[in-house]
Amino acid sequence: MKKTKKMLALLAGTAMLISSLAGCSQSPSAPQGGGESTKQAEAGQDSGKKAESGAKEKIRVFTFFTGSDQWAPVWAEVIEEYMQANPGIEIVDESAPTAGANDVFRTKMQADIAARTPADLCLFYTGADGKPLVDSGLFVDLGPSMEADQDWSGNFKQSALDSQKYDGKQYSLPYLGYYEGLFYNKKLFDQYSLEEPTSYDNIMKAIDVFAENGIPAFAASMAKPSYVLELAILAQAGAEGHKNYFDDSWAPALDCIADWYQKEAFPKDTMTISEDDIRLMFKEGKAAMMFNGSWCVSALEDNPDMRLISMPALPGGKGGDSCALAGFGSGWFLSKESSERSEESLKLLKYLTSPEIMQRFIAVGGSSAVECPAPEGASELMKSAVDMLNKASYTDTAIDSQVSREAWMAIADDGTPYLVEGKKSSLDLLAEARKIQEAVNR
C-alpha cells in the first residue's frame, strides 16, 4: 500500500467491488432461538426510539461469518434477533469469506483502511495482522469502556485479553479461538480397570497396561510431533516458564516423550503415520489417548466415551489443569468514528460478547474468550472441553506460532526422531534451537 498511486487505485477499486457485492447479498435468515439471547438483544432496545420517527442508525459490521464458514448460520440468527429487539438499529453485514485464493476478507480490510472507512465493528486478525489497524488511528482503546462496565468485562478470561493487547492497550477483544489438549477414550480405561489419565502417575500406569495388551497408549507421530511437544512443554513449564523459549528447563518434557517411546506408548509406525491415520486410529478405539485440538471435536463427539483435558503436570512440573493451550487469532475492533457517533456499536459489541451468545457459537465449534457454560445438549466431549478451558487460569498460544519455524523444527520434526532413538539429548536439541532463535532475533 505504501508505494504507488496505482496501488491506492487498486485498493479503492477493490473496496468499490466488495461494496457492490455486499449490496447484492440477502438479508440474514430469521432467528430460530430466543430466551436468554432475546434478553441480551434487548439490552440496547432504547435505540428503538429512533424507529418512532422513522430514523434508523446503521451499524456496519465486518466479519468472516459468511459463505461456508461454520459460524455463518449462528451469526445470521443473532444479528437478526438484535435488530428485531432494537428496531432503531440496522446492522449492515459486510462480512467477507476467508477461503479461496483471492483472500477477499483481508483485501477488503486493507482497502477500507486505505480509504479510512472501516466498518463500525470489525472482527479481524490480531497480532502482526492487527497492528496496521491499531497504527491507522481509526480504532479505539476498549480498556476505558471495559473499566466502566465490569459486569461485562468480568466475563472475559484475563489471559485471553492480555494476549491481544497492543502496547498495553486493549484495541481488540478476543472472541473465538482454538484449543489443544489430551483426548482420551474413557471406555478403554474402564475396560482395563484403569483410572482416567488425570495425573502423570495414571498415565504411566496406563502406558504399561496398554502396551501389555498391544494397544498404543497414544495415537501420535514422532516424525511430526508438534502436538505432543506443545502439551508436554506446557505441562512441564507451566505459566512461569512457557515463554522461556528453548530453555534447559524444558528438557524434562522432551525426556518424558523419549521415555514414552521406549515404553512402546506410540504406534509401531509412529515414524511414518499420517495425521489422518492418527485421528482415525483414535476414533476407532485403537489407541487410548491423542494429543490434538478443537478441530477434531466434531468428528469425535458422537462417541459418549470421548473426553478432553489439559495435559497433567509432569513430575516436578508447573503445568496441569490450571494451564491450557488455547489461542485467539482474531478479535473485535471498534471504530473511533462509530464510538464518537453514539454508543450503539458498543452496545452491539456487548451483546455479541455476552456468555449467552458465545454459548451458541461454541456449540458449533471453537473456544470462547468469555467464561460460559457448555451449550445446552452438548456432548460429553464438548462439556469436558469447556470445563478444561474454564479451569485454566493461564492460557497461551502454541509455541510454534511464537518462535521461528526453523528453531521449532530443531526440536520437533528434525530433532525428535533423534531424541527418542537416543541419538541426541534433550539438552542438545534445545541448545540447537536456542542458537537458531537467537540468530533470528539479532
Side-chain angles (χ1 to χ4, degrees), residues 1 37 147 189 213 248-249 371 401 412:
M1 289 190 292
S37 300
E147 182 66 26
F189 281 82
N213 289 276
D248 285 351
S249 61
E371 293 190 10
S401 67

Side-chain angles (χ1 to χ4, degrees), residues 121-179:
L121 278 175
C122 301
L123 182 63
F124 195 68
Y125 303 131
T126 53
D129 285 312
K131 192 69 162 55
L133 278 67
V134 176
D135 292 343
S136 72
L138 295 170
F139 298 91
V140 301
D141 172 15
L142 288 158
S145 296
M146 300 191 80
E147 182 66 26
D149 187 353
Q150 296 193 16
D151 286 341
W152 167 52
S153 61
N155 291 323
F156 283 86
K157 298 171 183 175
Q158 189 58 49
S159 57
L161 288 173
D162 291 342
S163 72
Q164 292 200 0
K165 286 186 176 177
Y166 296 82
D167 296 326
K169 294 185 177 181
Q170 200 77 56
Y171 282 97
S172 64
L173 295 182
Y175 200 50
L176 292 164
Y178 71 89
Y179 50 84

Side-chain angles (χ1 to χ4, degrees), residues 47-59 83-84 86-92 341 344:
S47 62
K49 295 176 182 177
K50 298 183 180 67
E52 296 175 5
S53 61
K56 283 192 176 187
E57 178 169 340
K58 293 184 178 181
I59 302 178
M83 287 189 288
Q84 288 184 1
N86 297 274
I89 295 297
E90 179 183 348
I91 298 173
V92 181
R341 182 179 69 231
E344 296 302 333

Side-chain angles (χ1 to χ4, degrees), residues 133-353:
L133 278 67
V134 176
D135 292 343
S136 72
L138 295 170
F139 298 91
V140 301
D141 172 15
L142 288 158
S145 296
M146 300 191 80
E147 182 66 26
D149 187 353
Q150 296 193 16
D151 286 341
W152 167 52
S153 61
N155 291 323
F156 283 86
K157 298 171 183 175
Q158 189 58 49
S159 57
L161 288 173
D162 291 342
S163 72
Q164 292 200 0
K165 286 186 176 177
Y166 296 82
D167 296 326
K169 294 185 177 181
Q170 200 77 56
Y171 282 97
S172 64
L173 295 182
Y175 200 50
L176 292 164
Y178 71 89
Y179 50 84
E180 296 179 29
L182 179 64
F183 290 80
Y184 67 94
N185 187 331
K186 185 175 181 295
K187 182 178 179 180
L188 282 175
F189 281 82
D190 290 344
Q191 181 179 336
Y192 290 94
S193 301
L194 291 164
E195 293 185 58
E196 294 176 40
T198 53
S199 72
Y200 190 76
D201 287 343
N202 289 356
I203 287 176
M204 295 306 291
K205 182 176 180 180
I207 287 173
D208 291 338
V209 171
F210 287 131
E212 290 169 3
N213 289 276
I215 300 171
F218 302 113
S221 166
M222 289 295 95
K224 302 251 180 222
S226 285
Y227 298 140
V228 185
L229 279 169
E230 293 277 9
L231 290 162
I233 289 169
L234 181 58
Q236 170 61 27
E240 182 180 320
H242 195 234
K243 290 186 180 294
N244 293 338
Y245 305 130
F246 309 115
D247 189 77
D248 285 351
S249 61
W250 287 10
L254 276 65
D255 292 336
C256 279
I257 296 170
D259 185 39
W260 296 340
Y261 179 82
Q262 295 301 322
K263 291 180 178 293
E264 299 181 348
F266 301 109
K268 294 186 184 300
D269 59 349
T270 189
M271 293 297 182
T272 58
I273 192 170
S274 69
E275 175 64 16
D276 286 344
D277 286 340
I278 286 170
R279 297 185 193 183
L280 184 62
M281 169 181 278
F282 180 69
K283 182 178 182 178
E284 293 181 344
K286 295 178 181 177
M289 294 173 280
M290 176 178 72
F291 300 92
N292 226 304
S294 49
W295 44 89
C296 296
V297 170
S298 61
L300 297 171
E301 60 183 344
D302 287 344
N303 186 335
D305 293 308
M306 295 301 184
R307 301 288 188 275
L308 178 63
I309 57 174
S310 291
M311 177 66 193
L314 304 187
K318 299 175 181 178
D321 61 11
S322 65
C323 300
L325 201 63
F328 299 90
S330 60
W332 285 106
F333 293 80
L334 176 66
S335 78
K336 185 176 292 184
E337 192 278 331
S338 70
S339 181
E340 293 172 349
R341 182 179 69 231
S342 75
E343 293 186 353
E344 296 302 333
S345 294
L346 179 60
K347 288 178 182 178
L348 175 58
L349 178 59
K350 291 180 180 182
Y351 161 72
L352 294 171
T353 54

